């Protein structure tokens, strides 16, 4: 099955120059009906199902040909997970950042808004990540979540029915000392995220045992204990299903494929 790839280039410059570029690039970069004007000085080119050359290579070509305009690029596969962002200015690459998702969950604080204040995403931190998010997703900021009531002072909490996130936000907007606990009470797993910044950049994440999380975050012990007890039946059922699948795979000589049935979360 083909992978759907979407690439978007946003060009900013004088209107006359952008109209010239639109004429030159029609059916070279993309079809004319895939070019839109955000405003008089911003032209957006959208390319579906890939562009025949790598994202950065194509952006370099646009930048070389039109060094007098500012170009921002974004590429993603199938959905908005793990997007790549890049910017070219004066014919030079300013930054390139691949936002590799560690974990993503919704904080349903305002259903009327699609992004700001609702979605909390955490990414592998890289030097250009903050610049890429600030410029391409200007409404994405974890700090407003501080206004929510949480399970313990300084912490906020949300759940998608499978995983529960406990988040201690950075101490200041410029700090990188946030802490996150992803708890999967139904399967008895938990992950600790450390060094979180306001843009969701994560310095490190690692699986931790339930007891280790409670030891490192004593203020969460009571609420973690409640979650653990509430999901005891689900954990028992999950263990039973896992044993059945393992026996079945062993009988069919497919023990090496058992990892396909493993209920490990996507964060390891």
């Amino acid at each position: 099955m083909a992978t759907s790839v979407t690439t978007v280039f946003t060009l900013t410059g004088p209107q006359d120059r952008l109209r010239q570029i639109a004429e030159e690039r029609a059916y070279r970069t993309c079809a004319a009906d895939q070019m839109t004007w955000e405003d008089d000085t911003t032209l957006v080119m959208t390319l579906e199902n890939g562009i025949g050359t790598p994202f950065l290579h194509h952006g370099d070509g646009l930048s070389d040909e039109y060094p007098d305009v500012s170009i921002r690029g974004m590429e993603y596969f199938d959905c908005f997970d793990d997007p790549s962002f890049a910017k070219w200015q004066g014919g030079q690459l300013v930054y390139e950042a691949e936002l590799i998702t560690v974990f993503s969950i919704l904080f349903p604080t305002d259903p009327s808004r699609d992004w700001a204040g609702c979605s909390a995403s955490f990414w592998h931190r890289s030097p250009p990540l903050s610049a890429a998010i600030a410029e391409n997703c200007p409404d994405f900021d974890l700090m407003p979540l501080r206004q929510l009531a949480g399970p313990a002072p300084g912490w906020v909490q949300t759940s998608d029915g499978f995983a529960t996130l406990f988040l201690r936000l950075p101490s200041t907007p410029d700090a990188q000392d946030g802490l996150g606990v992803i708890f999967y009470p139904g399967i008895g797993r938990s992950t600790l995220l450390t060094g979180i910044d306001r843009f969701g950049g994560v310095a490190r994440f690692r699986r931790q045992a339930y007891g280790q999380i409670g030891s490192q975050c004593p203020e969460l012990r009571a609420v973690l204990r409640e979650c653990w007890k509430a999901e005891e039946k689900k954990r028992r059922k999950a263990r039973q299903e896992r044993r059945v699948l393992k026996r079945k795979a062993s009988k069919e000589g497919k023990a090496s494929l058992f990892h396909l049935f493993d209920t490990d979360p996507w964060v390891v």
Side-chain angles (χ1 to χ4, degrees):
M1 184 173 62
T3 301
S4 176
V5 182
T6 301
T7 306
V8 181
F9 288 107
T10 302
L11 284 68
T12 304
Q15 185 180 38
D16 291 344
R17 179 60 167 149
L18 294 183
R19 291 193 180 279
Q20 176 191 346
I21 293 173
E23 293 176 0
E24 293 175 353
R25 282 286 166 171
Y27 300 104
R28 288 178 57 198
T29 299
C30 63
D33 60 1
Q34 290 183 299
M35 296 182 181
T36 59
W37 292 88
E38 280 191 359
D39 52 51
D40 291 342
T41 59
T42 306
L43 174 66
V44 180
M45 301 178 180
T46 301
L47 299 79
E48 304 289 346
N49 293 323
I51 55 181
T53 54
F55 168 52
L56 286 177
H57 179 69
H58 196 86
D60 287 339
L62 283 174
S63 180
D64 288 342
E65 191 167 351
Y66 309 112
D68 54 335
V69 300
S70 175
I71 302 172
R72 285 186 293 115
M74 177 180 71
E75 182 171 85
Y76 56 94
F77 297 83
D78 289 326
C79 61
F80 199 70
D81 286 341
D82 298 343
S84 295
F85 291 104
K87 180 180 180 180
W88 294 263
Q89 188 85 44
Q92 299 295 320
L93 180 65
V94 178
Y95 63 73
E96 187 271 326
E98 185 175 357
L99 276 61
I100 301 174
T101 308
V102 172
F103 182 75
S104 186
I105 196 168
L106 291 178
F107 274 88
T109 56
D110 186 350
S112 67
R113 302 174 72 180
D114 295 331
W115 179 265
C118 289
S119 177
S121 294
F122 302 91
W123 335 81
H124 287 273
R125 181 177 297 135
S126 63
L129 182 141
S130 296
I133 293 179
E135 189 159 32
N136 293 277
C137 310
D139 292 324
F140 184 84
D141 186 354
L142 296 176
M143 298 306 285
L145 297 176
R146 189 185 297 277
Q147 62 188 326
L148 301 179
W155 291 81
V156 294
Q157 173 186 352
T158 192
S159 175
D160 61 5
F162 176 61
T164 297
L165 171 68
F166 300 95
L167 175 63
R168 190 183 72 194
L169 293 156
S171 56
T172 67
D174 297 327
Q176 298 181 349
D177 57 359
L179 195 64
V181 174
I182 307 168
F183 192 39
Y184 304 87
I187 58 176
R189 302 281 172 79
S190 52
T191 301
L192 184 69
L193 312 178
T194 57
I196 299 173
D197 62 28
R198 68 183 300 173
F199 298 111
V202 175
R204 187 182 180 194
F205 62 97
R206 61 188 182 278
R207 182 176 293 168
Q208 296 275 284
Y210 164 68
Q212 291 175 305
I213 295 290
S215 177
Q216 295 182 60
C217 309
E219 63 272 34
L220 293 181
R221 283 177 183 169
V223 67
L224 287 174
R225 190 181 303 114
E226 290 181 8
C227 290
W228 181 263
K229 290 181 178 179
E231 300 293 338
E232 185 174 356
K233 290 183 178 179
K234 284 186 179 181
R235 287 195 301 277
R236 188 183 303 118
K237 183 178 180 180
R239 287 195 298 268
Q240 292 171 346
E241 291 176 348
R242 198 171 189 274
R243 285 195 293 266
V244 170
L245 290 171
K246 189 173 183 179
R247 284 197 299 268
K248 184 178 179 180
S250 180
K251 288 180 179 179
E252 295 178 357
K254 299 178 180 178
S256 62
L257 300 178
F258 180 64
H259 66 278
L260 298 175
F261 305 108
D262 200 350
T263 53
D264 283 354
W266 55 88
V267 176
V268 295

